[in-house]
Amino acid sequence: MTHTARAESDSMLRRTLGERRIALVAWRLLVLQNAHPAVGAGVDQLSTYRSHPWRRIEHTMDSGRRLFFSDQEALRREIERLERSHRRIAGVDAQGRPYTALDPAVRVWVLVTLYEAMTAMRALSGRPLRPAELDKLYREFREVCTAFRLPDELFPPTAADVPGYLRDTIRETLELTEAAKDMLYTVLTRAPAPRRLGRLRPAWPLLRRFVARFLTTLTLADLPAEFRAKCGLPRSRSAALLSWTVHRGARLIAERLPDRLRYRTHTGGEQPRAATTAPPRPPRTPRTPRRDDRPARIAAFYHQVMDQTGDGRLTAADFRAMAHNICWPLERDEETESAVYTAFDTWWQHLLATMDANGDGEISCEEFVTAMLAGTDRDPGYLEQGLHVAVRAMFHAADVDHSGQLCADEYRTLFGGSRVHPAELSHGFRQLDTDGDGQITEEEFVGGFTEFFTARSSSTAGTQLLGRP
């Protein structure tokens, strides 16, 4: 059953976190989290936020919904998902300091900043929570946190202790990391257009300048004074005025809105959807091939799908990121996720062995396109050694009921989410379902990806994996 956060219960946590205006402090939250050296290093080295900021936000929002707006079973599954994902986030930062996303103190910092963001939203709007309300909010917040099985002594004991915990962490630990600086100054200046812009997408280059400047100015004004002082971040009078106007204006508007507009709608538990079967349709009639469209199509795949870090070259990090984004919505066990990561590493090793012409351990777009064309033209089995291994692992991970076929719902879970328009998902499903029976077999699935890289004409069904040409 769907409902608003207020209607769901009298939970102060859900009411506060469920308000749409929480988005006004979301960027501030990300900056504070990424200012922790361990978080910043992991994000800087392994995250794809630079090239896919909207996806990063969607993942964060989806995770928050499962953690704070679902039942105990969905909460347990989400924590397990986070732990599987974070287990792979470890390394050494630019200063030679080892880090791991499973460090309990780091995880507590990330959680407490979420609580602090809720209190900041209220304080910045001119209506701070009263002590009794802070106690209630923190108590509900800590009840959720117990499911993470983190040491109690790492958390501030009470709501009254949170400001001191924040000041101590800022003074002793936080830095203006590269990831935090990126969040403040550069990510939005080059962010791709959000899919939901629709007809406004052509205007995004102009809108982006306004959005980037607005969020940077607002975030600089809203960050804790201790953090700004430590990092030498300016807060101009105009920024302070913008903050005062935006937060108070948002509160006044929110207080006059009905609940269905004031609060985000949530579901009570992220239960798996029942499998549905699309109605059968007649098989397609192949069109007459035209000019060779492969170079442009393969280059688009390189930039839109494979270059996850957005740095213009392929490395092992891009393939780990692709595996992560496949596993994230599926909620599969450790064995299944490991099989996906292993398959994508096999694909990477195959490409590295056949495409890295200059031996620098990276693959440029030119190397990728040239080698892919030569490989598929020379050897019909070229894709079986790398791409097919990854694609088959994707298929088996998405085939939740082990039927040997993907139904429409399983396909949507794999490729969908709030970032993809339903019409594009339906179109993609129909293109891969070559016999029109409402199910995608493993061979149809693999065949679609094969056609994408081998068909000379974009009129071939499998060439439309990135959407309609």
Side-chain angles (χ1 to χ4, degrees):
M1 180 180 72
T2 59
H3 39 265
T4 62
R6 180 187 290 270
E8 183 175 5
S9 72
D10 64 350
S11 164
M12 176 167 288
L13 175 66
R14 294 184 176 185
R15 287 202 308 271
T16 307
L17 189 59
E19 281 213 61
R20 295 186 185 276
R21 61 192 175 106
I22 194 73
L24 293 174
V25 293
W27 214 255
R28 172 188 182 276
L29 166 68
L30 291 176
V31 171
L32 284 176
Q33 290 181 345
N34 287 311
H36 192 292
V39 179
V43 168
D44 187 51
Q45 296 176 8
L46 301 172
S47 175
T48 61
Y49 74 97
R50 290 187 178 93
S51 54
H52 300 282
W54 310 122
R55 184 176 66 196
R56 166 73 189 276
I57 292 172
E58 291 288 355
H59 279 185
T60 300
M61 297 293 287
D62 289 346
S63 183
R65 183 179 70 248
R66 295 186 182 102
L67 291 174
F68 296 103
F69 292 89
S70 59
D71 56 27
Q72 287 298 312
E73 176 59 21
L75 171 62
R76 181 191 63 77
R77 293 201 310 269
E78 180 59 19
I79 291 175
E80 289 179 352
R81 181 217 305 263
L82 290 171
E83 289 181 346
R84 288 195 302 271
S85 175
H86 289 162
R87 196 173 294 126
R88 296 182 172 90
I89 302 176
V92 178
D93 69 10
Q95 283 72 45
R97 299 171 295 191
Y99 70 88
T100 170
L102 292 180
D103 183 338
V106 176
R107 300 177 74 190
V108 168
W109 168 250
V110 171
L111 288 168
V112 173
T113 53
L114 180 59
Y115 164 82
E116 192 272 341
M118 292 185 277
T119 64
M121 177 190 74
R122 292 292 301 265
L124 290 165
S125 73
R127 290 283 177 84
L129 293 169
R130 297 186 296 273
E133 293 173 321
L134 288 170
D135 289 339
K136 178 176 173 60
L137 178 65
Y138 192 64
R139 184 169 60 253
E140 293 177 1
F141 170 77
R142 289 286 284 114
E143 287 174 0
V144 175
C145 291
T146 57
F148 284 86
R149 301 185 301 276
L150 294 166
D152 285 339
E153 60 269 20
L154 294 179
F155 286 91
T158 68
D161 295 303
V162 172
Y165 167 84
L166 191 74
R167 288 193 297 269
D168 290 344
T169 305
I170 290 173
R171 183 177 64 253
E172 299 169 6
T173 307
L174 297 197
E175 303 170 357
L176 190 58
T177 62
E178 288 301 316
K181 285 193 288 187
D182 273 352
M183 285 288 175
L184 271 174
Y185 298 114
T186 59
V187 167
L188 286 170
T189 63
R190 56 174 181 259
R195 294 187 66 96
R196 293 182 177 181
L197 272 185
R199 294 181 179 180
L200 291 177
R201 286 176 70 87
W204 176 245
L206 294 176
L207 292 174
R208 179 168 52 193
R209 295 182 185 179
F210 171 78
V211 172
R213 184 172 182 179
F214 170 81
L215 277 179
T216 295
T217 304
L218 182 68
T219 303
L220 284 171
D222 293 346
L223 284 167
E226 298 89 349
F227 182 74
R228 286 188 281 105
K230 179 178 182 178
C231 299
L233 298 173
R235 184 180 191 261
S236 64
R237 290 184 178 180
S238 59
L241 178 61
L242 175 69
S243 174
W244 190 94
T245 304
V246 167
H247 288 290
R248 281 165 172 76
R251 172 178 60 80
L252 291 174
I253 293 172
E255 289 173 349
R256 288 160 175 77
L257 289 175
D259 283 0
R260 62 184 176 83
L261 296 178
R262 181 175 179 176
Y263 298 94
R264 298 194 305 274
T265 299
H266 298 277
T267 59
E270 294 293 307
Q271 298 299 326
R273 291 173 293 189
T276 59
T277 302
R281 57 180 175 80
R284 295 185 304 272
T285 302
R287 300 178 182 177
T288 303
R290 296 177 292 181
R291 64 183 178 85
D292 190 352
D293 297 328
R294 289 179 299 168
R297 187 192 318 136
I298 294 172
F301 191 86
Y302 179 98
H303 291 296
Q304 295 181 36
V305 177
M306 302 188 72
D307 184 15
Q308 291 283 310
T309 55
D311 57 6
R313 59 187 187 274
L314 295 185
T315 64
D318 294 295
F319 287 77
R320 288 195 299 268
M322 282 190 282
H324 168 80
N325 288 314
I326 291 298
C327 295
W328 180 259
L330 296 178
E331 298 189 37
R332 301 306 305 273
D333 56 27
E334 178 68 28
E335 182 180 358
T336 303
E337 286 198 1
S338 295
V340 173
Y341 276 87
T342 299
F344 273 81
D345 183 62
T346 298
W347 185 18
W348 162 242
Q349 295 299 330
H350 176 246
L351 296 187
L352 194 63
T354 59
M355 295 184 177
D356 185 17
N358 58 8
D360 63 355
E362 301 173 346
I363 299 173
S364 67
C365 183
E366 181 181 1
E367 287 175 326
F368 181 73
V369 174
T370 301
M372 185 63 73
L373 291 172
T376 54
D377 284 345
R378 179 184 66 253
D379 179 9
Y382 176 77
L383 298 179
E384 295 177 4
Q385 304 168 55
L387 173 68
H388 286 184
V389 177
V391 171
R392 291 186 188 278
M394 288 168 52
F395 180 91
H396 291 298
D399 182 18
V400 178
D401 60 2
H402 306 291
S403 66
Q405 298 176 319
L406 296 187
C407 67
D409 281 347
E410 289 171 329
Y411 179 87
R412 292 188 191 101
T413 301
L414 179 62
F415 290 119
S418 54
R419 304 181 306 277
V420 184
H421 194 282
E424 288 296 315
L425 284 172
S426 298
H427 176 75
F429 185 87
R430 288 194 301 271
Q431 296 307 304
L432 293 180
D433 179 20
T434 55
D435 60 8
D437 67 351
Q439 302 281 339
I440 298 175
T441 65
E442 183 174 351
E443 294 313 310
E444 286 176 328
F445 193 71
V446 174
F449 281 87
T450 301
E451 286 184 349
F452 184 89
F453 288 100
T454 60
R456 295 178 180 273
S457 170
S458 293
S459 62
T460 305
T463 64
Q464 299 180 32
L465 289 175
L466 299 183
R468 294 176 176 85

